[in-house]
């Protein structure tokens, strides 16, 4: 006991226990110093680590946990900036209204539509790209860095470019469709080449899903690639000897062996997809309106929350909507995790 | 014992860490007001910020004010129209972040005057003297419901006119002189306008107006009631319905280029002749000038079909959270003085809301070369004096967007004009008005 504390004392703070104090000092002072050092040593071991990681938790508490809880409180209150008089607890009124709100269900449908159109092709493409990049290629790093470029492009910049690609008049997409001979007639007898991308659910969902896919495929591919690198080569060699082709290797060896990473990306894409906001927001021609098209063709739930909170200025109802979205994300993410586990043949 | 001690110690450490962080935050936040306080004291160095959108002609004025008032530094922050108002609302809730002087548009003024405690009551600072200078309705617009708090002073008004391209008119066989163009729709109002548009489309093969919603706005501004009455009840009829029907006729006649206003394509449309007319309140002239400088002299200004109506116009306010309220008031009241208001009119075209200025030779004799030497001062001051102001409800913004979306849906070919479209417009308006 005393031996260990002495060792610690010299190890931690050799300057205070100088050589002369150790040689000449009697027992009581050295006991005092040992007590201080024991305390400091314990502090160093038990507390300093917490201190060092505390900034994250403090920031999370201030900017994550507090807003979350406060939002929960607001969801049960009447809080409209246009009706300051209508104040106080609302009980479950906001949530009851949510269940009957056609706009909410429409937005939920849009969110899922865009989510399916973006997540499924995105993860599939990412898997194929990662498998290709995992082979011996020339200039591998060029490709690996290249596929990450869309991810580091600011979403506002890329969306503005896409918005002009999908423009009704003189858009690149419509020019291509025009070459194939696609034409649409709009109201007032106006005829355009291609289609009015913003006018129907299917076209607007497709356009937005393409933006999302473009941005996230590379990111997911890199995640898959990093997981694939840890798969031993001899597994593939054995499979090749048994006559398994590249495609079969991908589905029978690679995918099962990177299952944890697949799970991770599925959960992440689910959360991201259900919170989709920037792309649909900027796809709008009046980017500030938040209505998601002329009849909410592509209004996502996140957009509807924004519209309710900052356009209709009903913060209580908007808070209830965000909690609704939160619960839905939890359910879907859990279901996805379960499904992915099953598909991958996992036992958990 | 050992366990409990280390645990309490760790709490202590966490506490210490958070205290450190908090003091770091508070000192960081504390320095700025401290500096400001010093300024108020002896050396008189004050930073004032102004939040606004578009071009309100502040750039030169700010320089001039800084020169005349040593120690005052003015920071101009230009934002996007909608984002600007939204940010202000968020800053008012948060209690910090708003500028010392914030511009608010007519369309949002009801929303903000309903929160009078968030703004400095300008009446306390001597604004009552200004009441008689303003158009009476302009003064009323920014007054709180009980009449006790004046949250802002008016800058410009948006008396309406119709800007048109005389070169494109000539090519399509329409008259070019501004009086003759006005005469096209002098008697029949919007019907005359639509007839002229049909001639234009038939002869030129191009579209006449930029977007149907850009007809809806001025047509609605001419009605006695907009979306809401003074009791904040939704009034879809008769005002909005009349404007909606005019707009439907414009769409059915095939006059609309169906380009969303304020979009990039719209801005490009000024340069590539995508439309030949644009309903223009005084403040719109500045935007036209900025978008297509090489079309100088090709635009001209005629009377608006249907006559009258106000579209837009702004106010300057001081949020209660401003740390330099008195200095901000000095600047604000300087900005609305006649010389400065006339200077703004001369640089960007925004027409002042103080009718006495309309007699000023600088406004009366003003001709605008960009608009083919049109006497803009006479045109816009005449419309401003004649117009009958409307009450804009506090939910005016979302309701307008909802109804315009129905019009855009018609233009997209998803809906045909008629009773069905109007029913949908009403139900969308009701939803948007729910809040």
């Amino acid at each position: 006991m005393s031996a260990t504390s002495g060792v610690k004392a010299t190890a931690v703070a050799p300057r205070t226990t100088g050589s002369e104090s150790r040689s000449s000092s009697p027992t009581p002072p050295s006991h005092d110093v040992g007590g201080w050092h024991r305390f400091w040593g314990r502090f160093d071991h038990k507390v300093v680590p917490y201190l060092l990681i505390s900034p994250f938790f403090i920031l999370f508490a201030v900017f994550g946990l507090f807003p979350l809880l406060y939002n929960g409180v607001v969801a049960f209150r009447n809080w409209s900036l246009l009706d300051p008089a209508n104040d106080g607890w609302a009980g479950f009124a906001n949530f009851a209204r949510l269940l009957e709100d056609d706009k909410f269900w429409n937005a939920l449908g849009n969110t899922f539509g865009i989510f399916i159109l973006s997540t499924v092709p995105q993860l599939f493409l990412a898997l194929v790209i990662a498998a290709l990049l995992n082979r011996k290629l020339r200039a591998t790093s060029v490709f690996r860095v290249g596929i990450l470029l869309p991810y580091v492009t600011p979403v506002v910049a890329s969306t503005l470019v896409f918005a002009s690609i999908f423009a009704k008049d003189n858009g690149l997409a419509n020019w291509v469709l025009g070459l194939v001979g696609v034409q649409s007639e709009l109201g007032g007898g106006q005829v355009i080449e291609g289609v009015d991308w913003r006018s129907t659910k299917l076209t607007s969902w497709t356009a937005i899903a393409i933006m999302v896919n473009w941005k996230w495929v590379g990111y997911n591919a890199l995640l898959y690639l990093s997981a694939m690198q840890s798969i031993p080569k001899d597994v593939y060699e054995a499979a090749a000897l048994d006559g398994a082709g590249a495609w079969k290797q991908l589905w029978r060896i690679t995918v099962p062996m990177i299952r944890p990473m697949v799970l991770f990306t599925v959960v992440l894409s689910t959360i991201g997809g259900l919170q989709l906001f920037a792309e649909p927001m900027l796809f709008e021609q009046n980017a500030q309106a938040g209505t998601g098209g002329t009849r909410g063709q592509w209004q996502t739930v996140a957009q509807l929350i924004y519209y309710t909170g900052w356009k209709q200025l009903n913060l209580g109802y908007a808070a209830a909507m965000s909690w609704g979205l939160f619960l839905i994300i939890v359910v879907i993410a859990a279901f996805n995790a379960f499904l992915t586990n099953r598909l991958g043949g996992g036992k958990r | 014992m050992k366990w409990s001690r280390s645990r309490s110690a760790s709490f202590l450490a966490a506490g210490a860490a958070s205290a450190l962080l908090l003091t770091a935050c508070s000192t960081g936040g504390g320095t700025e007001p401290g500096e400001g306080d010093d300024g108020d004291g002896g050396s008189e160095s004050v930073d004032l910020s102004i939040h606004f959108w578009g071009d309100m002609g502040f750039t030169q004025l700010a320089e001039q004010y800084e020169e005349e008032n040593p120690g005052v530094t003015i920071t101009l922050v230009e934002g996007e129209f909608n984002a600007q108002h939204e940010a202000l609302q968020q800053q008012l809730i948060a209690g910090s972040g708003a500028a010392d002087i914030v511009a608010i548009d007519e369309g949002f003024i009801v929303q903000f005057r309903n929160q009078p405690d968030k703004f400095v009551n300008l009446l306390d600072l001597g604004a009552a003297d200004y009441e008689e200078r303003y158009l009476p309705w302009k003064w009323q617009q920014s007054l709180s419901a009980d009449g006790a708090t004046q949250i802002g002073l008016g800058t410009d008004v948006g008396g309406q006119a119709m800007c048109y391209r005389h070169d494109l008119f000539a090519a399509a066989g329409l008259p070019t002189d501004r009086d003759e163009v006005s005469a096209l729709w002098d008697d029949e109002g919007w019907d005359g306008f639509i007839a002229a548009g049909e001639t234009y489309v038939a002869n030129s093969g191009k579209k006449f107006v930029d977007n149907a919603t850009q007809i809806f706005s001025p047509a609605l501004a001419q009605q006695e009631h907009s979306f809401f009455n003074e009791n904040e009840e939704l009034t879809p009829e008769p005002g909005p319905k009349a404007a909606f029907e005019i707009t439907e006729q414009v769409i059915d006649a095939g006059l609309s280029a169906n380009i969303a206003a304020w979009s990039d394509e719209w801005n490009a449309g000024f340069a590539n002749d995508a439309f030949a007319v644009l309903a223009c309140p005084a403040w719109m002239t500045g935007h036209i000038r900025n978008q297509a400088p090489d079309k100088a002299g090709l635009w001209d200004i005629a009377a608006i079909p249907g006559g009258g109506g106000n579209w837009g116009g702004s106010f300057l306010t001081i949020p209660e959270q401003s740390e330099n309220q008195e200095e901000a008031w000095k600047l604000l009241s300087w900005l609305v003085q006649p010389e400065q208001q006339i200077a703004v009119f001369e640089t960007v075209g925004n027409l002042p809301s103080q009718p006495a200025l309309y007699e000023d030779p600088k406004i009366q004799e003003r001709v605008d070369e960009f608009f083919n030497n049109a006497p803009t001062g006479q045109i816009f001051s005449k419309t401003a004096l004649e117009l009958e102001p409307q009450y804009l409800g506090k939910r005016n913004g979302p309701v307008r967007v909802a109804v315009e979306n129905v019009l855009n849906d018609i233009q997209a070919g998803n809906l045909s004009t008629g009773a069905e479209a109007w029913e949908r417009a009403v139900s969308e308006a009701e939803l948007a008005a729910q809040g």
Side-chain angles (χ1 to χ4, degrees):
Chain A
M1 171 72 184
S2 65
T4 51
S5 71
V7 167
K8 238 180 210 169
T10 47
V12 171
R15 256 177 294 169
T16 48
T17 54
S19 56
E20 76 263 60
S21 77
R22 203 195 291 173
S23 60
S24 64
S25 64
T27 331
S30 90
H31 179 259
D32 262 356
V33 170
W36 162 249
H37 284 294
R38 192 182 313 140
F39 170 74
W40 173 247
R42 191 168 283 166
F43 184 81
D44 195 22
H45 272 245
K46 303 274 184 195
V47 179
V48 169
Y50 291 105
L51 254 174
L52 291 177
I53 59 167
S54 64
F56 166 76
F57 288 100
I58 292 165
L59 289 177
F60 175 73
V62 173
F63 296 107
L65 198 61
F66 168 72
L68 200 71
L69 297 177
Y70 186 63
N71 198 39
V73 174
V74 173
F76 288 99
R77 289 190 69 93
N78 290 318
W79 185 7
S80 169
L81 296 173
L82 294 179
D83 276 324
N86 182 16
D87 201 6
W89 294 101
F92 283 89
N94 286 330
F95 291 95
R97 182 177 162 191
L98 191 60
L99 292 178
E100 290 175 2
D101 192 342
D102 290 341
K103 295 236 177 227
F104 180 74
W105 296 110
N106 171 56
L108 200 61
N110 292 339
T111 309
F112 275 105
I114 299 171
F115 164 63
I116 304 272
L117 280 184
S118 57
T119 307
V120 175
Q122 178 190 110
L123 294 185
F124 177 75
L125 268 177
L127 198 62
V128 174
I129 289 174
L132 289 176
L133 287 181
N134 199 25
R135 294 157 154 245
K136 283 197 180 110
L137 288 174
R138 266 181 231 193
T140 327
S141 355
V142 172
F143 286 114
R144 285 180 188 172
V145 173
I147 56 162
L148 204 60
L149 276 181
Y151 175 67
V152 297
T153 312
V155 66
V156 174
S158 62
T159 306
L160 284 179
V161 173
F162 274 111
S164 76
I165 289 177
F166 293 114
K168 176 169 60 72
D169 309 306
N170 312 319
L172 186 64
N174 274 355
W175 175 72
V176 173
L177 286 179
L179 291 183
V180 192
V182 180
Q183 281 190 333
S184 335
E185 190 181 341
L186 308 181
Q190 195 182 20
V191 176
I192 58 164
E193 304 272 285
V195 296
D196 185 356
W197 289 91
R198 287 174 178 82
S199 76
T200 68
K201 272 186 190 280
L202 196 63
T203 49
S204 56
W205 290 2
T206 310
I208 292 169
I210 288 173
M211 299 179 207
V212 177
N213 288 337
W214 179 82
K215 183 170 176 66
W216 292 98
V217 161
Y219 173 79
N220 285 310
L222 268 207
L223 287 181
Y224 288 152
L225 183 61
S226 72
M228 286 176 189
Q229 306 257 301
S230 62
I231 302 175
K233 290 278 175 285
D234 47 0
V235 183
Y236 288 107
E237 283 162 15
L241 279 180
D242 288 342
W247 192 247
K248 206 159 198 173
Q249 283 179 18
L250 176 66
W251 290 107
R252 291 295 165 86
I253 298 174
T254 313
V255 172
M257 291 192 84
I258 64 166
R259 195 168 48 83
M261 191 54 91
V262 175
L263 195 69
F264 175 73
T265 56
V266 166
V267 170
L268 225 60
S269 315
T270 308
I271 296 172
L274 294 185
Q275 292 183 336
L276 195 64
F277 181 69
E279 284 90 350
M281 200 68 188
L282 292 167
F283 189 54
E284 200 132 5
Q285 291 195 301
N286 179 357
Q288 292 291 330
T291 55
T294 52
R295 45 171 71 191
Q297 296 95 317
W298 73 86
Q299 187 180 45
T300 63
V301 178
Q303 238 184 326
L304 181 62
I305 293 170
Y306 167 86
Y307 174 81
T308 309
W310 294 118
K311 292 296 166 186
Q312 298 191 309
L313 298 169
N314 190 340
L315 298 181
Y317 189 37
M321 273 184 191
S322 9
W323 269 86
L325 177 62
F326 171 69
L327 294 178
I328 290 166
I329 290 179
V330 168
V331 171
I332 302 294
F335 177 71
N336 265 350
F338 167 79
L339 207 67
T340 319
N341 245 330
R342 274 299 137 94
L343 286 180
K347 296 179 188 108
R348 269 184 297 144
Chain B
M1 185 61 199
K2 174 195 164 202
W3 175 237
S4 76
R5 181 159 105 196
S6 72
R7 195 168 169 186
S8 61
S10 61
F11 279 133
L12 202 90
S18 49
L20 266 172
L21 202 87
L22 286 177
T23 43
C25 289
S26 62
T27 49
T31 45
E32 286 170 60
E35 281 166 9
D37 289 344
D38 286 349
D40 281 345
S43 60
E44 286 190 25
S45 75
V46 189
D47 288 338
L48 293 174
S49 50
I50 308 182
H51 280 191
F52 63 102
W53 63 90
D55 190 349
M56 291 195 172
F58 287 149
T59 320
Q60 288 176 346
L61 293 178
E63 282 171 16
Q64 190 188 337
Y65 190 82
E66 283 174 347
E67 267 175 36
E68 293 173 8
N69 298 272
V72 176
T73 314
I74 300 175
T75 312
L76 297 176
V77 184
E78 184 192 336
E80 193 272 337
F81 175 74
N82 283 299
Q84 174 70 33
H85 290 95
E86 215 165 278
L88 174 62
Q89 182 62 68
Q90 292 168 359
Q91 288 153 352
L92 292 184
I93 297 174
S96 70
D100 297 304
I101 296 180
V102 182
I104 297 178
D105 180 74
E106 174 200 53
F108 287 87
I109 196 69
V110 178
Q111 170 188 335
F112 287 108
R113 79 173 189 211
N114 279 355
Q115 310 167 56
D117 54 323
K118 302 269 200 255
F119 292 92
V120 173
N121 185 356
L122 301 184
L123 294 175
D124 296 343
L125 298 171
D129 300 345
Y130 289 83
E131 177 172 357
E132 58 189 18
R133 290 200 199 176
Y134 279 98
L135 293 164
W137 57 272
K138 185 78 179 177
W139 174 264
Q140 293 292 330
Q141 273 187 321
S142 51
L143 207 57
S144 69
D146 57 3
T149 307
Q150 179 57 274
I151 69 162
L153 287 186
T155 53
D156 63 314
V157 287
Q160 304 188 108
M162 184 62 81
C163 291
Y164 68 99
R165 284 279 300 276
H166 65 79
D167 58 328
L168 298 180
F169 267 46
L174 287 169
T176 56
D177 178 76
R178 65 184 73 95
D179 292 329
E180 287 174 35
V181 170
S182 301
L184 285 174
W185 43 74
D186 205 18
D187 296 332
E188 294 172 68
W190 290 101
D191 287 341
F193 174 82
I194 290 166
E198 283 173 328
T199 312
Y200 178 86
V201 173
N203 291 347
S204 71
K206 287 189 273 200
K207 296 298 182 183
F208 193 51
V209 300
D210 52 340
N211 193 308
T213 58
Q214 295 284 96
I215 298 300
F216 181 70
S217 285
L220 180 61
Q222 294 169 345
Q223 309 300 321
E224 191 181 344
H225 283 289
S226 186
F227 290 112
F228 292 90
N229 63 20
E230 277 85 350
N231 300 324
E232 288 292 340
E233 292 158 340
L234 193 66
T235 52
E237 293 181 44
K241 189 177 186 191
F244 194 85
E245 284 171 349
I246 291 169
T247 314
E248 282 185 327
Q249 288 172 33
V250 170
I251 297 173
D252 284 341
L255 307 188
S256 166
N258 188 11
I259 303 172
W262 308 106
S263 68
D264 293 338
E265 289 161 314
W266 189 64
N267 290 337
F270 285 100
N272 57 29
D273 305 346
F275 41 86
V277 296
L278 180 66
C280 57
W283 48 264
M284 185 74 93
T285 58
H287 187 78
I288 298 175
R289 198 192 324 266
N290 290 342
Q291 285 311 319
D294 59 328
K295 303 289 179 189
L298 300 180
W299 284 91
D300 206 329
I301 306 176
I304 188 91
N310 181 65
W311 183 8
S314 312
F315 301 84
L316 295 177
T317 65
I318 305 175
E320 180 65 34
Q321 53 186 265
S322 164
E323 309 237 348
N324 302 306
Q325 296 179 2
E326 296 209 345
E327 287 292 331
W329 166 247
K330 273 188 207 165
L331 172 58
L332 194 160
S333 48
W334 182 81
L335 283 171
V336 298
Q337 294 305 319
E339 301 81 48
Q340 281 66 255
Q341 287 293 298
I342 288 177
V344 169
F345 174 74
E346 285 181 325
T347 46
V348 292
N350 292 3
L351 187 79
S353 48
Q354 305 171 25
L357 307 189
Y358 303 161
E359 308 299 323
D360 192 294
K362 281 182 182 155
I363 287 189
Q364 275 299 316
E365 291 162 15
R366 165 84 178 161
V367 291
D368 196 327
E369 283 174 20
F370 187 90
F371 290 93
N372 198 24
N373 291 323
T376 49
Q378 284 175 21
I379 293 175
F380 288 116
S381 59
K382 182 163 172 284
T383 63
L385 286 173
E386 283 172 355
L387 64 86
E388 295 282 326
Q390 270 177 343
Y391 178 78
L392 298 176
K394 56 188 178 184
R395 300 184 196 282
N396 176 60
V399 171
R400 171 183 292 273
V401 169
V403 173
E404 287 184 352
N405 266 340
V406 176
L407 289 168
N408 282 325
D409 217 25
I410 298 174
Q411 292 186 93
N414 290 338
L415 189 67
S416 45
T417 53
E420 190 198 344
W422 174 244
E423 272 167 32
R424 206 165 83 82
V426 172
S427 68
E428 291 288 335
E430 283 168 353
L431 272 180
Q434 253 178 19

